[in-house]
Amino acid sequence: PVVCNVPGEVAGWLAEACGGVQATDGGATALADAMARMAATSPAGRHAMGAAARAWVRAEHGRDVLGARLRTALEATVARCRRG
């Protein structure tokens, strides 16, 4: 699991993945509070967060997924070049 103090899209990924604890803002106090929340989480809870995070990364950003996205983008680019 991770402790994150990055807002926006990264915070959304963390929430979607259920993979850690998000700080309420980017400040040092909020980060310390998030770290304390992680420390207070049971070992089983931290393990579950880590497993969920790994599964999310594989599903959303694994090599097969990124390779398929790249192939789709490249095929679209080649098709546009052939037409134009």
Side-chain angles (χ1 to χ4, degrees):
V2 298
V3 174
C4 180
N5 70 337
V6 178
E9 187 174 23
V10 174
W13 292 341
L14 181 62
E16 185 178 329
C18 300
V21 174
Q22 176 66 40
T24 56
D25 62 50
T29 301
L31 179 58
D33 290 344
M35 292 172 72
R37 289 196 317 274
M38 179 65 80
T41 301
S42 71
R46 291 192 306 269
H47 179 78
M49 280 187 237
R54 284 188 299 277
W56 183 86
V57 168
R58 276 192 302 274
E60 297 295 323
H61 299 283
R63 287 183 180 184
D64 291 343
V65 172
L66 295 181
R69 288 179 190 160
L70 177 59
R71 181 182 181 130
T72 298
L74 291 173
E75 287 173 345
T77 299
V78 168
R80 280 194 306 274
C81 289
R82 287 183 178 156
R83 286 191 305 260

